[in-house]
Amino acid sequence: MFVSDNEIKDIQIKFSNIQSPSNSVIIEGNWDSFVKQEYITALRSQVSKYADEIHIVFKEAKIGIIFMLLLKDTLESNNIKQVYLYTNNAQILRLTSFLVSNLYSLFLNQYLYNNKSDMQEIFNNIDNSVKNNKFFLYKFFEIIGKWEYKFYQTAISFFNFMGMLLYFFIISCIKPSNIRFNSLVYHICEQGFKALPVGLVTSLIIGYAITLQGAYQLNSMGVPIMSVDTTAKLSLREIGPFILALVIAGRSASSFTAQLGSMRLTEELSAMKAMNLNIFHFLIIPRILALIIVMPLMVFAADAIALFGGMIAIKTSINISFEMYLERFYETVSITHFWIGVVKAPVFGAIIGIVGCFRGLECKGDTQSIGKMTTISVVNAIFWIIVANAIFSFIFTRYDL
């Protein structure tokens, strides 16, 4: 049988309006498993002064199950017939069921309880009512608080990482012998040229699809030749650098995070530090610098493939020949659009390298953190590439470039 909301309100009102007798036993303070023996002796001595009935008031007391069982044994051994308890503490309310006994009657804030199950049902319904009313509010603030604290910790770690990266990069520029050229060339080949095929295929497909849609729309408006202008500029400014950066983010950012994360978990980074080897000179800077160097070269190839895909789309959709496409391209598309795409490339490469390396160093605990951080790394890299591309678009549009 469930307690209605009105009954719960009545219980809460009686909790606050109870007036306990002046000769009550007051229990306050901490009564956990480590309470001193003299306190227990004093409590038993005080309970023994009462014959038939006793009034016990809990005031800001912290108690446990062991104390309740001890109090029950003390009450039964002194032949108490009626026990009156006064409290509005939720913890004590839940533990009062351990005081139920067949040797005496238990009154809780003027309520008589003769069996344990009835009392537990009342307490459970009170707890459920409180939980139903406040659970979602507490949960909401708990989630917000945890997210803010985690964001704060991540921001501090990232600023620390960026500061150390800039410091050691400047040292490497002053003293080039600190740059590991073998590692740099390796990552240019591994993260750049080996990723080029999938990047070119993606640029070809996206360039074809975007140009096809634009050509149909402009043809329906009576200006099919304009499809060359718009799609060519779009390929040079956006499709080439942006789509390629997304592909490299999914490939290289995850690779950096997994490599550095596994090295951290196997304590290879700790071993390098013990041997006085700087992980920024050996591991971080070569990876980031490799992407900064190779991204403009890859963008050049991605632009050419995207334009080729556009040429095929226009040829097959509105029957504009390759020769006419190239003539219109040279007449209307300036070299500025190409350089805008090239300028974006090293920034995108730096974002991918920084995010991948930072998340790799964040791995800790067990191997599950590698998978978690790899996922976060790819998502973060793609997000910041989109943000950077939007900033570039705003700046170039503002200065009419």
Side-chain angles (χ1 to χ4, degrees), residues 15 58 60-62 87-94 96:
F15 282 173
F58 292 93
E60 299 181 358
K62 295 182 180 180
T87 181
N88 59 356
N89 186 292
Q91 178 191 9
I92 299 176
L93 287 175
R94 286 189 289 267
T96 309

Side-chain angles (χ1 to χ4, degrees), residues 97-341:
S97 58
F98 291 95
L99 289 178
V100 176
S101 174
N102 296 325
L103 300 181
Y104 55 77
S105 299
L106 179 64
F107 295 84
L108 176 59
N109 298 316
Q110 298 180 346
Y111 278 82
L112 173 63
Y113 297 102
N114 293 319
N115 63 74
K116 184 175 180 178
S117 59
D118 290 344
M119 188 187 326
Q120 192 63 44
E121 183 179 359
I122 295 294
F123 295 155
N124 289 339
N125 281 279
I126 294 175
D127 291 341
N128 291 334
S129 175
V130 174
K131 290 180 180 178
N132 291 335
N133 292 332
K134 298 182 179 180
F135 174 77
F136 292 104
L137 183 61
Y138 290 160
K139 196 66 177 178
F140 173 76
F141 285 111
E142 178 185 359
I143 294 173
I144 295 297
K146 288 182 178 179
W147 180 85
E148 290 181 349
Y149 180 71
K150 186 176 181 181
F151 178 81
Y152 169 77
Q153 286 186 318
T154 304
I156 295 298
S157 299
F158 180 75
F159 287 133
N160 181 53
F161 173 81
M162 285 301 299
M164 296 178 68
L165 175 63
L166 293 175
Y167 173 76
F168 290 115
F169 180 73
I170 293 174
I171 291 179
S172 298
C173 293
I174 297 174
K175 190 178 180 181
S177 60
N178 289 324
I179 300 177
R180 305 300 160 180
F181 289 99
N182 291 336
S183 179
L184 178 62
V185 173
Y186 170 79
H187 288 295
I188 288 176
C189 178
E190 188 71 21
Q191 308 300 333
F193 297 135
K194 287 189 178 181
L196 192 57
V198 64
L200 295 182
V201 172
T202 305
S203 299
L204 177 65
I205 295 173
I206 298 298
Y208 178 88
I210 296 297
T211 304
L212 186 65
Q213 296 297 322
Y216 276 124
Q217 295 298 324
L218 292 172
N219 187 43
S220 65
M221 297 172 61
V223 284
I225 196 64
M226 289 292 295
S227 61
V228 177
D229 306 7
T230 56
T231 56
K233 293 177 182 178
L234 183 63
S235 297
L236 294 175
R237 298 172 68 105
E238 298 295 337
I239 295 178
F242 183 66
I243 298 301
L244 180 66
L246 295 183
V247 173
I248 299 302
R251 187 183 185 277
S252 298
S254 59
S255 176
F256 290 168
T257 303
Q259 290 171 2
L260 296 176
S262 61
M263 293 178 68
R264 183 179 182 87
L265 294 184
T266 56
E267 298 186 354
E268 293 181 54
L269 299 182
S270 300
M272 292 181 65
K273 292 179 181 179
M275 292 185 292
N276 200 27
L277 300 177
N278 191 298
I279 63 173
F280 281 86
H281 290 320
F282 280 85
L283 301 176
I284 308 299
I285 294 178
R287 284 173 165 80
I288 298 175
L289 200 58
L291 287 180
I292 294 175
I293 293 173
V294 79
M295 279 296 289
L297 304 176
M298 297 173 65
V299 165
F300 177 81
D303 287 345
I305 293 298
L307 290 173
F308 179 69
M311 290 173 62
I312 297 175
I314 290 177
K315 173 66 177 178
T316 56
S317 60
I318 56 179
N319 199 27
I320 294 179
S321 65
F322 291 166
E323 293 80 6
M324 188 179 298
Y325 182 97
L326 293 175
E327 289 178 2
R328 181 69 178 180
F329 179 82
Y330 285 118
E331 289 176 2
T332 59
V333 181
S334 65
I335 193 67
T336 304
H337 302 292
F338 168 75
W339 287 116
I340 287 175

Side-chain angles (χ1 to χ4, degrees), residues 30-45:
N30 192 1
W31 293 80
D32 56 11
S33 303
F34 303 98
V35 65
K36 295 181 179 180
Q37 181 62 39
E38 54 263 30
Y39 294 163
I40 298 176
T41 303
L43 176 62
R44 285 176 172 172
S45 174

